[in-house]
């Protein structure tokens, strides 16, 4: 009997030793169900959130994505917001500035291109192998004083060859010359930098007294020059001017003079610049002259104004 009871006691002993651990294990496997309210309240009571956590919670509740970048300033009003969305990164002021800048650059490059072209043509007239227009000469003015090519330097001179007995061409061209003088004087605000000159091709009949009375009918600023036949022939040769005045003329003899019909524009260094013909109007001729004068000023070259 005692022997039969011994195995039973062993079994009961084993069960007694294993039951607490088994129960403990089973207890840990059972899920602990707590309501969200209880969990939240327990956490609130256990730990107070910091200021950073409060900002984060506020950011989450507003539905914004978390970002470490600084918050950009928004438009203060709906009108400003609509205007910004409508125009984008550009405004009408920026567009206007862009257009004005582009137009200014186009005008500048066009003017500069024309200036360089005028300069190129003027330099070509001085080139090697080309006949030079202008050169040294000696004549007399209407007061009987000697007048040479050096007296033309320092200003833009406008030289015309003609004669007082010319029936139609010379009067027409001198009327044009008078208009050009007034337009250039007005544009330069009265600066004394333009010198209009009339050189006679008929020195026998065009005495200083005759020339003075004739030129006063057109413009008082025109300087009349005359001289001997050989002096006139020399200056016509220097300017490549053709004329057909006979050399030995008897007093009272009537004759006509054929000559070139051009105005010669010379720069302050007495170099040939431009030829103005009958096809040019006072407006177009004045424009050409003023362009050359402005080019000279822009390059900072000196001009004699006395």
């Amino acid at each position: 009997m005692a022997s039969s009871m011994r195995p039973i006691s062993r079994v009961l002993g084993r069960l007694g030793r294993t039951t607490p651990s088994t129960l403990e294990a089973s207890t840990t496997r059972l899920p602990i169900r707590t309501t969200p309210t209880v969990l939240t309240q327990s956490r609130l009571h256990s730990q107070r959130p910091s200021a950073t956590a409060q900002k984060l919670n506020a950011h989450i509740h507003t539905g914004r994505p978390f970002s470490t970048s600084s918050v950009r300033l928004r438009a203060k009003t709906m009108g400003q917001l609509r205007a910004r969305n409508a125009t984008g990164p550009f405004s009408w002021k920026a567009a206007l500035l862009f257009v004005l800048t582009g137009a200014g650059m186009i005008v500048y490059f066009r003017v500069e291109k024309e200036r360089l072209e005028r300069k190129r043509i003027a330099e070509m007239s001085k080139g090697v192998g080309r006949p030079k227009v202008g050169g040294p000469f000696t004549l007399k003015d209407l007061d009987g004083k000697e007048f040479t090519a050096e007296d033309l330097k320092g200003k833009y001179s406008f030289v015309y060859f003609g004669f007082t007995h010319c029936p139609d061409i010379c009067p027409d061209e001198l009327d044009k010359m008078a208009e050009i003088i007034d337009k250039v004087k007005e544009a330069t605000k009265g600066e004394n930098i333009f010198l209009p000159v009339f050189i006679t091709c008929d020195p026998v009949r065009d005495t200083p007294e005759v020339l003075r009375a004739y030129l006063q009918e057109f413009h008082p600023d025109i300087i009349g020059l005359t001289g001997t036949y050989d002096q006139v022939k020399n200056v016509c040769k220097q300017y490549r001017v053709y004329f057909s005045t006979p050399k030995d003329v008897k007093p009272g003899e009537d004759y006509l003079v054929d000559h070139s019909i051009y105005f010669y524009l010379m720069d302050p260094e007495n170099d040939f610049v431009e030829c103005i013909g009958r096809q040019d109007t006072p407006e177009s001729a004045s424009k050409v002259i003023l362009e050359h004068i402005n080019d000279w000023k822009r390059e900072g070259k000196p001009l004699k104004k006395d």
Side-chain angles (χ1 to χ4, degrees), residues 139-147 225:
L139 295 171
K140 288 186 178 181
D141 63 15
L142 300 184
D143 296 325
K145 297 179 181 179
E146 187 178 86
F147 193 100
L225 299 178

Side-chain angles (χ1 to χ4, degrees), residues 75-177:
K76 294 182 179 180
T77 64
M78 292 299 297
Q80 293 176 350
L81 183 61
R82 292 193 190 98
R84 186 178 66 184
N85 292 334
T87 59
F90 298 101
S91 64
W92 66 269
K93 292 182 179 179
L96 180 61
L97 180 62
F98 177 78
V99 171
L100 292 177
T101 302
M105 293 184 66
I106 291 174
V107 171
Y108 170 78
F109 285 117
R110 182 175 298 173
V111 171
E112 188 66 12
K113 180 180 178 181
E114 293 175 354
R115 184 187 72 83
L116 293 175
E117 181 64 18
R118 288 192 298 270
K119 186 175 181 180
R120 185 185 68 83
I121 294 174
E123 291 295 331
M124 285 177 61
S125 66
K126 309 174 189 178
V128 178
R130 293 178 177 270
K132 182 178 179 181
V133 177
F137 65 84
T138 300
L139 295 171
K140 288 186 178 181
D141 63 15
L142 300 184
D143 296 325
K145 297 179 181 179
E146 187 178 86
F147 193 100
T148 68
E150 294 297 317
D151 295 313
L152 298 178
K153 291 186 177 181
K155 301 180 180 182
Y156 271 88
S157 56
F158 198 51
V159 184
Y160 181 76
F161 293 81
F163 65 110
T164 60
H165 286 72
C166 182
D168 49 12
I169 295 177
C170 288
D172 291 342
E173 293 302 287
L174 287 175
D175 282 334
K176 182 195 296 184
M177 189 180 201

Side-chain angles (χ1 to χ4, degrees), residues 4 27 55 93 95 129 140 142 149 156 172 182 192 242 281 291:
S4 61
T27 303
K55 291 182 180 179
K93 292 182 179 179
K140 288 186 178 181
L142 300 184
Y156 271 88
D172 291 342
D182 290 335
N192 189 20
Y242 164 78
T281 64
E291 286 174 346

Side-chain angles (χ1 to χ4, degrees), residues 8-270:
I8 295 173
S9 62
R10 289 179 181 175
V11 172
L12 290 175
R14 290 176 182 174
L15 288 174
R17 287 194 300 267
T18 58
T19 300
S21 60
T22 306
L23 289 175
E24 184 179 356
S26 62
T27 303
T28 57
R29 291 192 186 99
L30 289 176
I32 300 175
R33 294 183 181 179
T34 58
T35 61
T37 304
V38 175
L39 179 60
T40 303
Q41 290 179 352
S42 63
R43 288 179 179 175
L44 287 175
H45 286 293
S46 63
Q47 182 180 2
R48 177 173 294 183
S50 63
T52 305
Q54 291 178 358
K55 291 182 180 179
L56 182 59
N57 290 333
H59 188 76
I60 294 173
H61 285 301
T62 55
R64 293 181 183 175
F66 180 75
S67 175
T68 57
S69 61
S70 59
V71 180
R72 290 185 290 180
L73 296 176
R74 293 184 299 172
K76 294 182 179 180
T77 64
M78 292 299 297
Q80 293 176 350
L81 183 61
R82 292 193 190 98
R84 186 178 66 184
N85 292 334
T87 59
F90 298 101
S91 64
W92 66 269
K93 292 182 179 179
L96 180 61
L97 180 62
F98 177 78
V99 171
L100 292 177
T101 302
M105 293 184 66
I106 291 174
V107 171
Y108 170 78
F109 285 117
R110 182 175 298 173
V111 171
E112 188 66 12
K113 180 180 178 181
E114 293 175 354
R115 184 187 72 83
L116 293 175
E117 181 64 18
R118 288 192 298 270
K119 186 175 181 180
R120 185 185 68 83
I121 294 174
E123 291 295 331
M124 285 177 61
S125 66
K126 309 174 189 178
V128 178
R130 293 178 177 270
K132 182 178 179 181
V133 177
F137 65 84
T138 300
L139 295 171
K140 288 186 178 181
D141 63 15
L142 300 184
D143 296 325
K145 297 179 181 179
E146 187 178 86
F147 193 100
T148 68
E150 294 297 317
D151 295 313
L152 298 178
K153 291 186 177 181
K155 301 180 180 182
Y156 271 88
S157 56
F158 198 51
V159 184
Y160 181 76
F161 293 81
F163 65 110
T164 60
H165 286 72
C166 182
D168 49 12
I169 295 177
C170 288
D172 291 342
E173 293 302 287
L174 287 175
D175 282 334
K176 182 195 296 184
M177 189 180 201
E179 289 188 51
I180 293 171
I181 294 170
D182 290 335
K183 289 181 180 298
V184 172
K185 183 180 291 187
E186 181 182 0
T188 57
K189 299 179 180 180
E191 290 182 296
N192 189 20
I193 57 176
F194 186 61
L195 196 65
V197 178
F198 178 90
I199 300 176
T200 181
C201 296
D202 187 12
V204 175
R205 292 182 295 188
D206 291 344
T207 62
E209 293 76 16
V210 173
L211 268 179
R212 189 189 306 275
Y214 181 76
L215 295 177
Q216 284 293 328
E217 297 180 4
F218 299 98
H219 204 285
D221 292 348
I222 301 176
I223 297 174
L225 299 178
T226 186
T228 65
Y229 179 87
D230 291 333
Q231 288 176 333
V232 171
K233 182 179 179 180
N234 174 64
V235 70
C236 288
K237 182 179 180 181
Q238 297 292 342
Y239 281 83
R240 312 296 180 216
V241 173
Y242 164 78
F243 78 108
S244 62
T245 306
K247 183 176 182 180
D248 299 320
V249 179
K250 297 178 181 179
E253 184 179 351
D254 190 20
Y255 55 91
L256 290 176
V257 178
D258 190 16
H259 61 90
S260 303
I261 308 170
Y262 289 105
F263 291 96
Y264 298 89
L265 180 64
M266 314 295 288
D267 68 16
E269 295 177 353
N270 204 22

